[in-house]
Amino acid sequence: MSEASPDPASIGPFSVVRKLGEGAMGVVFEGYDHKLERKVALKLVRKKLLHEAAVRERMTREAQAMARLSNPHVVHVYQVGEHDGGIYVAMEYVEGETLSEWLKSATRPWQLILRTVCDAGRGLAAAHSAGLVHRDFKPENVLVDASGRARVLDFGLVQSEGAADEQAERAGPGASLEHELAVTNAGAASPQVTQATAAATEPLERSNALRWSTRLTQMGNVLGTPAYMSPEQHFGRPAGPTSDQFSFSITLYEALYGVRPFNGESWAAIRTQVQDGLVPPPPLESPVPRRLFKVLQRGLALEPEARWPSLAAMIAALEHDPWRAPLRVAAVAGLIGVASVASYAMAKSQAEDEQRCAGEAGQITGVWDPARESAVARAFDATHLPYAADTAARVKLRLDTYSRAWLDARRKACEEQVRTHSTRLMDLRIACLDRRKARLAALVDVFAAADKGVVENAVQAAAALPSLRACSDTDDLLAVSQPDDPEVAQRVAALQGQLARADALDNTARYAEGLQLVSEVRREAASLGYAPLKAEAALSDGRLKMAAVGGAEAEAALAEAVRLGIANDLYAVAAEAAIIRLYIVGNDLGRPLEAEAGALFVEALVQRARGDDQLTALFHNNLGTIHDDAGKDVEVARRDYEAALTALRRREGAHPLEAIIQHNLGIMYTNHARLEAARDHFEHARELFTSILGAAHPLNAHPLTGLGDIEVRRGAYAEAMPSYLQSIALIESTYGTEHRYLIEPLVGLGKVYEHTGRSVEAEQHYAKAVRIAEKTDTRGESVADAFAGLAELAAASGSLPQARELYERAAGAFEAALGTDSAQAARAARRAGELAGAAGQGDAAREWFERVLANKPDQPGVAGERAVASLRLAQLQAERGERGARVCELARAAEDGLPKTDRLHTEAREVARRSCD
């Protein structure tokens, strides 16, 4: 792109709205993605920088690497491509200001500054986890939006850690380009022979423009902005994640104290200061705690090995607020003057402690405050879901309540600590509350970057925040041994923060991200050898795998969590893992007897976990579903469901699990043909879903479908239609027109249309249900019902070969969903046999009839199908000229099993008369 070129009307698939800025590397435009209806930032790199194929390939590869990185604190790269001989990168459009501008625009408390910069650090750490190194982290490369959310941008120097081509360029001068570009005061690019000479004596300039970094990765050994570069970059050594940590430390030092630690006026001066390795102490008047300087001092160590093991560990140390021991005055008897000094000192200490406890309200700043609330509301609104605003308001109420309760608990713990002079118990209590705050912060972070799935699950996720009551349980707090090594303790705290995010991702249905994160935590936890962390990580892994993959993988992780939890007195962890494992064994793995046998053990763990109401409710709900699916007496399952509801009602506020349990009761009573009881529970479930989640939330669709099913079973087809239509509308408004949740109401509507003589509409709805099932790889009773419905319609229209094929598919689907002994599978198999016989395919017909006769006769509805299959098989054998005991036996069985008023009974008696003489 030449300097004189007019602004393009479009770049790639994006239209250009306006120019945002221009620098040495190229031009930044505001663009618009018409397909996804969103703004984008388009960076168009100057063609003259791409004259070498290696540079073009490198830049494209690095942008593609960034596109694979997804983190709320990194400006997301959507796409990279070529335009008019140049390269463009389409990125997330963020309206905000650089960190430098944000710091200058208002006086902000150090706590908020720390949180904001640490959030940017989290984005940088995410890049490290993906094997990428930024190599130019500085305030101008951090963008803070109106909600206070920080994002790292301008990865122009990013490189895969240990990349082979970086090593090649260090092999000698011939491997690097002969010239670099630096931004002059006027913003134009000027060539330099070497950075070590021309730039070493020039005053440093810092640009606030949104732009690519002024140096490409491959342009020589020295890469980055000198004021923020690590020793490795200053002196031409390989740069890695610890180099970014050094730059991060300079940035945070400057943000907290107002000056850079190495503030020379030229590159040469800065290099000398960095090489000396002396980090100046903060100003005496600074309100920032001294402990933060100690953390920064380590991050600014000259040698990479002396720094923090990772940026995540450093952030955990920055956010860890260990309680300072209150001033203790030595008791000196017999000296009044000394006693007076002691009294004064004690009074001063108490005043300071009281002031500190009064200031606990600041603990929640940056976690859940008006700025974060606004960010969440905007993110929810951006999904354009019909219930987004309502959900944001409901989430706000829950998070307001939780944060107020947290502040109250934190203040009380602080006051208790003052009274008891910082006992170990109070330290543990405060540490427990800090972990709860981390869970809240992680959830708000996910909310602030919400997609549709997050909004759908937001209220449930807020309701799932861990109880604060556990932080007052003395026995449990003292039972868990803490790491002796301070560095291990800090690493554990960092990993627990990552688990908090993994749990937030789990509760908002972002399972793939959560699984990746928890997998990394489990690996690091294993290397640390700290058993309580291993137990917590195994539980998180099991929860995520249950939702994402299910089966044996989830069961194995949960079994490990149970074992480690019991061994290390983490009974709440062990109980939750055992409860989820109970469900997986009984339902997913199809071993209900094993699950029921282990229920007493699981219940004992729940009781040992102090009978936590949410754990109690979850246990009885899961056990109720196992009893119901196993075909136990309805009262056995009902008692467990009722016990779950009783536990939930002891909690403050309505919990979404209560609505789910009411829905489960509706399904149970429907399956046992107790339709009025089922109706009551479905209606109650709908009322609760509406009350807790809002009338437009898609979970309301499920009890609506249940109400429609009840009317179909009653034969009241006209009454069923409104429930199904409402259900479909709710599902489509959130998930679109091809989601698997549509299968059940579509099949229900198909039955309504079929039984009211509207065959065309019935076929359309059954066919759509089958199409969605095949597209989403969904199986189940409703899919089998769709095949059976299509088969009935085909048979009625005379399309017998098609009907036979559909009955065969229905039989297989019913057997997979309900077992081989179900009446539905038997009927489909019998009809497939009848159509095979009618087509003259006697052997195939015999196979189908024998398949029906293999069913257990004591299953509901099976006896009648066995009787008809016996008759048809007897008739088939008789027509083939077969006589003897087998035909007689079949005919007698049919005669005994069919009602005397049925015309088939007459046919069976006639076959028996001819065959049994």
Side-chain angles (χ1 to χ4, degrees):
M1 186 179 74
S2 70
E3 299 298 331
S5 299
D7 293 348
S10 63
I11 298 175
F14 310 101
S15 61
V16 173
V17 179
R18 62 190 175 102
K19 182 189 291 185
L20 295 176
E22 187 167 1
M25 293 294 294
V27 187
V28 182
F29 297 97
E30 176 186 339
Y32 193 78
D33 185 342
H34 292 277
K35 184 176 181 180
L36 297 179
E37 298 183 343
R38 64 183 178 188
K39 292 181 179 180
V40 295
L42 299 169
K43 295 189 175 185
L44 188 58
V45 182
R46 299 187 187 280
K47 286 187 283 188
K48 64 184 179 182
L49 298 180
L50 304 171
H51 59 284
E52 290 197 11
V55 175
R56 177 185 296 273
E57 180 185 353
R58 180 65 161 280
M59 183 171 288
T60 301
R61 186 169 68 250
E62 290 162 2
Q64 289 170 341
M66 288 307 306
R68 293 193 295 272
L69 179 62
S70 177
N71 184 276
H73 300 298
V74 174
V75 172
H76 188 57
V77 174
Y78 298 135
Q79 184 173 318
V80 59
E82 294 195 2
H83 173 80
D84 192 26
I87 289 177
Y88 74 86
V89 179
M91 307 174 69
E92 177 185 8
Y93 183 89
V94 181
E95 294 185 358
E97 51 192 350
T98 66
L99 179 61
S100 292
E101 294 167 338
W102 182 79
L103 290 167
K104 292 174 184 175
S105 64
T107 301
R108 305 179 192 278
W110 68 263
Q111 296 94 335
L112 181 58
I113 293 172
L114 176 65
R115 165 145 183 107
T116 302
V117 180
C118 283
D119 279 348
R122 278 181 255 277
L124 201 54
H128 293 171
S129 297
L132 301 171
V133 182
H134 190 292
R135 308 210 300 182
D136 195 25
F137 185 88
K138 56 187 177 181
E140 285 72 33
N141 284 340
V142 175
L143 199 61
V144 183
D145 66 16
S147 70
R149 176 178 163 197
R151 296 176 177 85
V152 185
L153 70 156
D154 222 351
F155 279 78
L157 298 186
V158 74
Q159 180 167 4
S160 299
E161 185 180 351
D165 45 1
E166 181 187 17
Q167 305 305 321
E169 83 183 46
R170 299 186 187 282
S176 53
L177 299 179
E178 293 181 359
H179 297 285
E180 293 179 297
L181 296 172
V183 177
T184 66
N185 292 344
S190 62
Q192 300 180 176
V193 177
T194 66
Q195 290 194 357
T197 56
T201 56
E202 293 177 0
L204 294 168
E205 297 290 338
R206 285 170 34 174
S207 168
N208 290 328
L210 181 66
R211 55 181 175 75
W212 279 88
S213 294
T214 57
R215 299 167 183 84
L216 288 177
T217 305
Q218 208 168 359
M219 289 186 173
N221 293 339
V222 182
L223 303 157
T225 303
Y228 299 91
M229 288 197 314
S230 66
E232 303 87 76
Q233 294 167 286
H234 277 296
F235 302 108
R237 296 192 293 268
T242 52
S243 304
D244 283 350
Q245 183 187 136
F246 193 99
S247 302
F248 172 86
S249 299
I250 294 176
T251 299
L252 180 55
Y253 187 107
E254 182 181 24
L256 290 173
Y257 304 129
V259 294
R260 293 192 304 270
F262 313 114
N263 57 0
E265 291 298 319
S266 68
W267 189 347
I270 291 175
R271 281 162 59 100
T272 300
Q273 291 174 332
V274 169
Q275 192 169 28
D276 289 341
L278 299 177
V279 182
L284 293 175
E285 69 275 14
S286 173
V288 179
R290 180 77 178 181
R291 63 180 177 81
L292 295 183
F293 171 73
K294 292 182 178 179
V295 177
L296 288 169
Q297 197 172 28
R298 180 174 174 182
L300 293 168
L302 182 62
E303 298 300 326
E305 306 83 85
R307 298 171 203 155
W308 293 92
S310 69
L311 188 53
M314 180 179 179
I315 292 171
L318 288 166
E319 295 182 333
H320 179 61
D321 186 14
W323 191 265
R324 294 172 297 174
L327 178 63
R328 288 187 173 88
V329 180
V332 181
L335 294 175
I336 295 178
V338 174
S340 298
V341 171
S343 298
Y344 168 76
M346 291 176 69
K348 184 175 183 294
S349 173
Q350 290 172 357
E352 290 174 349
D353 287 333
E354 288 172 1
Q355 184 178 7
R356 172 163 180 148
C357 292
E360 288 295 312
Q363 290 277 347
I364 213 74
T365 301
V367 175
W368 181 245
D369 56 18
R372 299 299 282 163
E373 177 192 330
S374 297
V376 169
R378 282 195 297 274
F380 281 29
D381 184 61
T383 65
H384 303 296
L385 286 171
Y387 54 92
D390 182 57
T391 299
R394 293 171 188 275
V395 164
K396 178 186 181 308
L397 287 175
R398 288 184 179 269
L399 297 192
D400 283 350
T401 300
Y402 192 86
S403 58
R404 283 195 301 268
W406 186 92
L407 285 170
D408 184 58
R410 189 68 164 78
R411 177 183 54 78
K412 289 178 179 177
C414 177
E415 292 170 351
E416 182 68 17
Q417 194 168 43
V418 169
R419 287 194 296 271
T420 58
H421 302 293
S422 188
T423 65
R424 176 171 176 263
L425 176 60
M426 288 301 104
D427 290 341
L428 293 172
R429 184 165 295 168
I430 288 172
C432 176
L433 288 169
D434 286 348
R435 289 194 295 274
R436 298 298 189 266
K437 183 176 75 169
R439 291 285 293 270
L440 174 61
L443 184 60
V444 174
D445 282 346
V446 173
F447 285 168
D451 57 15
K452 290 183 177 182
V454 170
V455 175
E456 180 192 349
N457 292 278
V459 174
Q460 302 92 302
L465 283 167
S467 170
L468 301 175
R469 191 176 65 180
C471 295
S472 300
D473 192 314
T474 301
D475 290 344
D476 282 353
L477 289 173
L478 293 173
V480 181
S481 60
Q482 303 300 313
D484 295 326
D485 186 331
E487 289 193 9
V488 173
Q490 288 169 345
R491 188 63 194 136
V492 166
L495 292 171
Q496 286 174 330
Q498 292 184 51
L499 281 182
R501 177 167 176 79
D503 289 341
L505 293 168
D506 175 29
N507 289 327
T508 52
R510 291 170 63 175
Y511 305 123
E513 292 176 69
L515 279 172
Q516 181 179 353
L517 182 58
V518 83
S519 175
E520 296 168 3
V521 174
R522 289 196 75 178
R523 281 197 299 271
E524 291 203 46
S527 67
L528 285 175
Y530 181 56
L533 178 63
K534 291 165 66 178
E536 293 170 357
L539 171 59
S540 294
D541 194 23
R543 277 196 300 247
L544 282 158
K545 284 177 176 172
M546 176 196 176
V549 297
E553 286 188 56
E555 194 271 336
L558 293 165
E560 178 72 355
V562 173
R563 183 186 69 79
L564 288 168
I566 294 172
N568 294 278
D569 296 328
L570 296 168
Y571 291 104
V573 171
E576 184 177 353
I579 291 167
I580 301 171
R581 181 179 177 275
L582 184 81
Y583 182 89
I584 290 173
V585 170
N587 292 72
D588 291 2
L589 299 179
R591 306 199 305 260
L593 294 179
E594 179 184 335
E596 289 174 334
L600 284 176
F601 163 74
V602 179
E603 188 171 19
L605 282 176
V606 174
Q607 292 171 355
R608 182 61 186 82
R610 302 289 188 273
D612 179 90
D613 291 334
Q614 189 160 330
L615 288 177
T616 300
L618 189 60
F619 164 68
H620 284 292
N621 175 71
N622 288 0
L623 189 57
T625 61
I626 291 167
H627 288 326
D628 186 25
D629 289 347
K632 289 292 182 71
D633 182 88
V634 67
E635 289 304 309
V636 175
R638 184 196 63 78
R639 283 195 296 270
D640 276 301
Y641 284 135
E642 292 295 342
L645 292 172
T646 299
L648 287 176
R649 288 164 185 159
R650 290 195 292 263
R651 296 167 52 93
E652 290 186 13
H655 195 286
L657 182 56
E658 185 176 351
I660 291 169
I661 293 168
Q662 291 289 350
H663 184 260
N664 288 345
L665 280 163
I667 293 172
M668 180 188 74
Y669 283 121
T670 300
N671 291 340
H672 287 82
R674 292 172 58 172
L675 301 184
E676 290 306 314
R679 186 202 308 278
D680 290 343
H681 286 290
F682 282 135
E683 288 177 346
H684 196 177
R686 187 187 177 195
E687 290 170 3
L688 285 168
F689 278 133
T690 300
S691 172
I692 297 168
L693 304 177
H697 195 280
L699 280 183
N700 284 288
H702 300 292
L704 281 168
T705 298
L707 289 168
D709 291 344
I710 289 172
E711 300 306 331
V712 166
R713 289 192 177 221
R714 291 178 56 246
Y717 299 107
E719 288 83 349
M721 185 175 290
S723 294
Y724 288 136
L725 290 174
Q726 289 179 61
S727 176
I728 290 171
L730 284 169
I731 294 168
E732 289 185 341
S733 69
T734 296
Y735 307 113
T737 59
E738 298 291 322
H739 196 273
R740 62 187 179 89
Y741 289 164
L742 287 166
I743 294 172
E744 289 191 20
L746 284 171
V747 172
L749 265 183
K751 292 177 181 179
V752 168
Y753 288 131
E754 180 184 355
H755 288 89
T756 54
R758 298 167 65 176
S759 300
V760 174
E761 290 97 327
E763 183 178 3
Q764 290 172 345
H765 284 77
Y766 286 142
K768 183 175 181 179
V770 169
R771 185 174 67 252
I772 292 173
E774 291 173 342
K775 182 178 179 180
T776 59
D777 194 27
T778 300
R779 299 173 179 83
E781 184 177 357
S782 293
V783 179
D785 279 337
F787 283 126
L790 288 170
E792 293 286 345
L793 293 171
S797 67
S799 302
L800 300 185
Q802 181 186 5
R804 176 187 165 190
E805 178 188 352
L806 288 165
Y807 277 127
E808 289 175 353
R809 296 185 70 179
F814 278 126
E815 288 178 357
L818 304 175
T820 57
D821 296 325
S822 69
Q824 295 95 319
R827 184 182 186 282
R830 188 257 302 171
R831 290 289 290 131
E834 288 176 340
L835 292 175
Q841 298 179 16
D843 291 340
R846 180 197 295 269
E847 288 182 13
W848 283 110
F849 295 143
E850 294 286 8
R851 191 161 163 177
V852 176
L853 295 176
N855 289 354
K856 297 176 182 177
D858 57 348
Q859 296 299 310
V862 170
E865 292 299 335
R866 283 173 55 90
V868 177
S870 295
L871 171 60
R872 297 307 187 206
L873 185 54
Q875 290 173 329
L876 177 65
Q877 291 182 331
E879 288 171 3
R880 288 184 165 190
E882 300 177 22
R883 294 289 187 271
R886 172 65 170 158
V887 177
C888 177
E889 178 186 348
L890 289 168
R892 294 293 189 200
E895 189 178 5
D896 292 342
L898 290 166
K900 292 184 178 180
T901 55
D902 192 329
R903 64 176 181 80
L904 295 180
H905 181 273
T906 303
E907 293 182 24
R909 186 173 57 191
E910 180 59 26
V911 174
R913 184 186 63 77
R914 292 197 306 267
S915 303
C916 298
D917 292 341

